[in-house]
Amino acid sequence: MSFTSLLPPPKRESKRKQVDVKRVEAERLLSALNKDKVIEESIDEQKTKSDPAIQIASQVNFKEFVPLRQQNFGLDVPLPSQERIDETYNKTRSFLQKLVSKDQQKKLSSVNKPDTININSQTIQVTTRQQDPLQPNIHRKSAKIYTPQLLENNAPIPTLHTEAEKPSKEEREKWKIPTFVSQWKNQKGYTVDRAGFGTRTGEPGGISGKFIELSEAIEKVDMEKRREIQLKYEEKKNLMEKEVKIKEDKLRNLAERARYHGRKQDGHVKKETSVVEQSSRGNILVERLKELAYREGRDVSEKVILGTAKATKQPELNYDSRLFIKGASTQRSENQVYDNPLFVQQDIDSIYRTNLNKLDDMVENTNDEGSVMDRVTREVKGGQQERSGPVMFTKAEDQLSSDKKKSFGLEKESK
Amino acid sequence: MDSYDGENPLLREIDDFYSEIRWNNQFKYMGKLPSYLEDQINERKPILEQNDPFDIQEKPLSTALIPLDNTTRDVAGESLLDRYQKLITQEPRKHNPWKLSKVINGHLGWVRCIAMDPVDNEWFATGSNDSTIKVWDFASGKLKLTLSGHVMGVRDLVVSKRHPYMFSASEDKLVKCWDLEKNAPIRDYFGHLSGVHTVDIHPTLSLIASAGRDSVVKLWDIRSKKAVITLVGHKSPINSVKCTPADPQIISCSNDTTVITWDLVAAKPMKVITHHRKAVRDIAVHPGEFSVASCSTNDIRSWKLPEGSLLTNFESQNSGIINTLCVNQDDVLFAGADDGTLSFYDYRSGHKYQSFKTKQMPGSLESERGILSSSFDMTGLRLITGETDKSIKIWKQEFDSEFEELPWNPILSSQRF
């Protein structure tokens, strides 16, 4: 059984007619078999005689289905003789002339005697308009006719096709479009590749040049700032050094003065001592101090004693300021712009969300102040006392109106 | 097997076998009465005579029909034996093989029709789906002219022997008359309700016949541009119309699977030939005898002309869709198939002696391998084909003694009806 046999019959009439014909034939045969209805039979006989299909069928012979040339390939089928051609020519020509003359007669008669029609005592003459037989074509060309290049030298070349090669597996893979991933439910964790990075190939897609410009600019500013800081630090160091020097000088002066005064008290002569004497006297002092130190178990150099010794030079230590910055513990790289994420301290997930636990607590401890609902609504709207998230800005007018409303509401409540 | 006498047991056996098969094919259905008639007959009989259903199944031939069958069987058997004997004693005529000689490119669409210069055999015209008609030099294959005037594809062309005119039929519902001295269209035959598929010139009268998708044949007076006669009878688009000098003066074939020979004076079909099972795509008139060949899918036949009786069944069982036919005076029938197969038949015996695929043009698709139109030149030694790949190919008859024809198997072709 084919599928089409299950379909309803077509709506066209012709099929039904055929079926009707079959049914009629069947009825005819049945009635023919019925001897009781003699009259009908006779009528049917007449019908069968007049039915052209049955007449033709009765004339059809088995031999007509046999090819004539099978018996004799040399069977001649001569072209029609000239006489026959002439005969048919004359016959058809006269017939056609008759046809044409009939038309002409009609025309002539209509020209000579115009038809008249009487409508409500009005007579109307119907005449055919005279037409010029050489009149150009009435039927105008409605469409533009394509005219090819008529120069034979640069005749148009027919378009040729190239056999399309079958794409390889890789190429097919490239053209494959990943199925759409819903933004709302992403259970399998697909990512949408927005920046144009091919997820498969890992090649960077088209990134706009502005990103590079931005990072370059930031780096430049960063370097400048660092140089400034360096300069400031050096300046400070210089100042400090100067200060230290001044202090040292002062101290040394003081010490020298004290030493001078002490000498003065020893005797007047000391004033006019020669350089040699002075040195010998210094040597004595040194020796004395040495003795003192030795007694105490220390070894002191002359320079220290004289106060000319300098502090031992320690290597300069430049601490990177970043060491002391808070986020220094996180790994740093050259390209990193910020050392901290923006919302480190806050719980990002709950910025825009009402803290239900807090609400619960509040509901539990409602006894302190106001109605429960008031507090809840305040919390939900982001009450002013406890805000956990960035400030939401509103338009001035809105705020005014909301203030009014609020005041109205408060009034009602207070009443 | 020079002579046949009834005593030869082998032949007798073959005869019996063959006639039985034919008998079964042709008349087996008559052996069984329709159920409603059977019921009626059974009702008439007395109860004792009524057969039980098993009995009926065992001998299905009703007694009333048997003698009649026997007579027809004898007649058929005799003719069949006769035919068979004649067939195996005959040999088809030998023909020379055909080879490709030239390929011409230039059209921008399918080449749908070809018309040879009937007077000098010097040029031919082709009409294409790109709505142009191109005139080519036959010997050199060079373009001589491009005629444009049709708005849609040109479907048929015919060049007159008696006038300096060429007629073209197009899908834009027009038949145009081209003056070959001025190379310009001079007349439009306006009146078809839909695309015109075919046109032909009456060989003696100043008439042209055209037909197309509106399934009527119109006969136009060449000079006055008037549709003189309209022949109504086909039920589907008409694919080809041919005119002959004697009755039947017009033959047409249509998608409704029929070939009709027309009585021009009565404006009625003379004979409706209904042998084909599929749409009849083309007909070709033999230039040397009064017969016509018609083709449909897997089926080519030729008809004897005044009466329209079957002449030959061609060996065309597996030829596929055939688009075009043409016959030369040398009794070679060419059939161009939609899949690009060229088949050459002996016109008298129906023997297919050569068959091959057309040459694929570089740059054309596989689906573009189809032959749409064909024409022999006036000598019958060259064949021009117009193809789906927009090329025109010229084929040449080669005198090659080593060519081996396809095998001749008369039994197969004779079994087709």
Side-chain angles (χ1 to χ4, degrees), chain A residues 30 33 65-73 75 77-78 80 84 88 91-92 95 139 143 145-146 159 161, chain B residues 37 40 44 83 86 90 108 130 148-149 151 245 247 249 265 289-290 310-311 348 363 368 390 414 417:
Chain A
L30 282 176
L33 281 163
F65 289 90
V66 179
L68 295 173
R69 278 248 167 86
Q70 276 197 356
Q71 297 195 8
N72 179 18
F73 290 165
L75 177 70
V77 186
R84 236 181 90 202
T88 43
K91 190 184 72 181
T92 359
F95 166 70
H139 310 288
I145 294 171
Y146 161 69
T159 49
H161 306 269
Chain B
L37 287 179
Q40 284 283 327
R44 293 284 170 67
R83 261 177 343 106
K86 292 267 182 179
Q90 287 180 107
L108 295 179
D130 63 9
S148 66
V151 181
D247 274 331
Q249 294 177 62
V265 175
E289 66 172 37
F290 204 41
L310 183 64
L311 260 185
R348 283 171 181 267
E368 287 181 329
K390 301 157 194 167
S414 65
F417 272 82

Side-chain angles (χ1 to χ4, degrees), chain B residues 5 33 39 164 304 326 376 405:
Chain B
D5 49 351
L33 269 181
D39 290 344
K304 189 166 179 281
C326 58
F376 282 108
E405 289 189 348

